[in-house]
Amino acid sequence: MRPLDGITVVTLEHAIAAPFCTRQLADLGARVIKVERPGVGDFARAYDTRARGMASHFVWTNRSKESLTLDVKHRQAAPILEGLLAGADVLVQNLAPGAAARLGLSWEALKERFPRLIVCDISGYGADGPYRDKKAYDLLIQSESGFLSITGSPDEPAKAGCSIADIAAGMYAYTNILAALIQRGRTGEGAHIDVSMLESMAEWMNYPLYYAIDGAAPPPRAGAAHATIYPYGPFPVGDGKTVMLGLQNEREWEQFCAKVLRQPELAADARFASNAARNGARQELRAIIVDVFAQLTAEQVVARLDEAQIANAHMNDMHDLWRHPQLAARGRWVDVGIPDGAIPALLPPAVPNTWQARMDPVPALGEHTEAILSGLGYASADIAALRAERAI
């Protein structure tokens, strides 16, 4: 038995934040009914075709779901949605600002008829405030939250390479839905969850916020290096590769000098006597480190770092991650179905030993429409009529 077996989630979702949330609910066993626009579907389906003919974002965030095509603005849509919600535990939506309310799917419109329903709204800026009606995409929230101001090189800001604002909002939606389900088990009452992408990213920005409190200078952009700890970041080595390493305290600094650089006298050098000193003398210290590493291969540098118990990592690309020996050794890859075959997928992190994550196929657009409507009591002739009217 999975933790969410028997829980039904209805979701009007697109892009990443809400689909990532609901996919994780599906991982835990929930039945997730994804309502999509007929003929088009979630626009993330069309982002690319890199994942064996499907969009990479879509494959990642939509396995184990059922796809129902429904024109939610059609006059026949309201009774279908009503029927779905009558059997649902959770409604998730990240439509354009105000769209859910116009469809009669706001918490206020639903709470009397469905008192046990948990409604989770995911938006860029939240349900009120001066930014309420602004559209929001991941990069825009990375910018609005100040993330871009501390990420990149000294000369140019850089966005994160994955959709971190969407991921942050999706994770807070997911965890708060789980909390609401626990609370409902105690009170019998549903809940309204309002998740803002901006507030999710602002939470993640608390370290630089506090670092810059009371008008203090914010952390500088430092590329792949740490902005305030040194040495902590990427260093080139003699075989053309790059090794990432990080020191956290003075004991590690002494070990680094003795066992990695093999210059133990550096540990007592006044220029590098504390992290603050090392941070202020980055260029001098970097020259020393690079000079030593230039005589070694990446594996030799890693071996020295491991011997000194200094944290380190390879600078992997996506191909390296596909082949990562740790993921392979722990059996983290399984195949899941896609409409035209199968594709490898990572098992969810932190799955307990008492149950297995659900890893069902990524749905084709509208694949489950007839089955879902039949479950609501629609006869074949009714479904055909709905299709003829382009309601589904």
Side-chain angles (χ1 to χ4, degrees):
M1 179 178 178
R2 299 183 181 96
L4 297 187
D5 283 349
I7 296 295
T8 297
V9 179
V10 174
T11 179
L12 284 74
E13 61 182 22
H14 53 238
I16 304 305
F20 185 51
C21 163
T22 59
R23 195 222 74 195
Q24 293 180 94
L25 297 173
D27 291 344
L28 271 59
R31 181 190 186 195
V32 176
I33 299 173
K34 181 183 179 80
V35 180
E36 299 190 72
R37 184 179 301 175
V40 179
D42 180 344
F43 57 71
R45 285 182 179 271
Y47 277 173
D48 58 63
T49 57
R50 299 297 294 268
R52 298 182 181 171
M54 298 194 75
S56 49
H57 283 86
F58 192 85
V59 167
W60 165 41
T61 58
N62 287 284
R63 65 170 181 253
S64 304
K65 299 180 185 180
E66 300 173 37
S67 174
L68 164 70
T69 49
L70 178 67
D71 180 355
V72 294
K73 296 180 181 179
H74 195 281
R75 60 183 178 81
Q76 299 274 29
I80 294 173
L81 291 171
E82 189 84 3
L84 289 173
L85 294 177
D89 299 279
V90 181
L91 170 66
V92 177
Q93 69 86 20
N94 69 332
L95 303 176
R102 290 192 294 272
L103 293 169
L105 297 176
S106 66
W107 163 250
E108 291 76 13
L110 296 172
K111 63 182 179 179
E112 297 299 328
R113 301 200 309 282
F114 307 109
R116 289 177 55 82
L117 185 66
I118 295 163
V119 177
C120 180
D121 299 325
I122 304 173
S123 63
Y125 297 100
D128 50 19
Y131 281 39
R132 178 191 65 184
D133 295 326
K134 286 177 70 72
K135 286 188 175 182
Y137 302 122
D138 183 85
L139 177 56
L140 306 182
I141 298 298
Q142 289 190 38
S143 179
E144 196 74 43
S145 67
F147 177 83
L148 292 185
S149 74
I150 62 166
T151 306
S153 69
D155 298 325
E156 187 175 8
K159 67 181 286 292
C162 61
S163 306
I164 61 165
D166 283 318
I167 293 168
M171 289 300 299
Y172 285 115
Y174 166 61
T175 54
N176 278 276
I177 288 169
L178 296 180
L181 286 167
I182 294 171
Q183 184 181 53
R184 190 185 69 174
R186 296 171 178 167
T187 67
E189 297 178 355
H192 180 217
I193 302 166
D194 174 16
V195 178
S196 154
M197 292 171 66
L198 176 64
E199 290 160 17
S200 299
M201 276 303 296
E203 167 66 24
W204 287 16
M205 292 291 292
N206 261 261
Y207 140 64
L209 275 171
Y210 282 124
Y211 191 88
I213 198 169
D214 297 330
R221 292 195 300 270
H226 197 287
T228 58
I229 303 174
Y230 201 82
Y232 195 146
F235 292 89
V237 296
D239 58 2
K241 297 181 180 179
T242 299
V243 171
M244 185 78 68
L245 64 91
L247 276 68
Q248 291 283 348
N249 53 56
E250 297 312 303
R251 181 192 63 78
E252 289 186 351
W253 167 241
E254 293 175 5
Q255 291 292 305
F256 182 72
C257 293
K259 295 184 177 180
V260 180
L261 300 181
R262 298 186 178 174
Q263 299 179 37
E265 68 279 4
L266 276 179
D269 191 314
R271 295 174 297 171
F272 314 128
S274 67
N275 177 67
R278 292 189 292 274
N279 199 41
R282 283 184 178 226
Q283 295 308 313
E284 295 173 78
L285 182 51
R286 178 177 174 80
I288 295 170
I289 295 171
V290 169
D291 183 60
V292 173
F293 285 7
Q295 313 305 313
L296 305 169
T297 67
E299 293 307 318
Q300 288 172 325
V301 171
V302 168
R304 288 191 184 186
L305 290 166
D306 285 342
E307 179 190 3
Q309 297 185 333
I310 301 297
N312 64 84
H314 296 89
M315 183 77 82
N316 286 336
D317 61 19
M318 293 302 96
H319 303 292
D320 297 320
L321 184 58
W322 274 113
R323 300 187 297 265
H324 201 292
Q326 184 70 3
L327 296 176
R330 286 172 53 82
R332 302 309 298 167
W333 294 103
V334 298
D335 282 346
V336 300
I338 57 175
D340 293 323
I343 198 165
L346 278 169
L347 287 164
V351 175
N353 65 355
T354 52
W355 56 278
Q356 293 184 337
R358 182 180 176 195
M359 301 291 288
D360 288 349
V362 179
L365 178 60
E367 179 179 346
H368 304 91
T369 299
E370 293 193 10
I372 292 169
L373 292 178
S374 295
L376 294 177
Y378 284 78
S380 296
D382 299 327
I383 296 172
L386 289 168
R387 200 175 297 281
E389 290 187 30
R390 298 184 179 179
I392 60 174

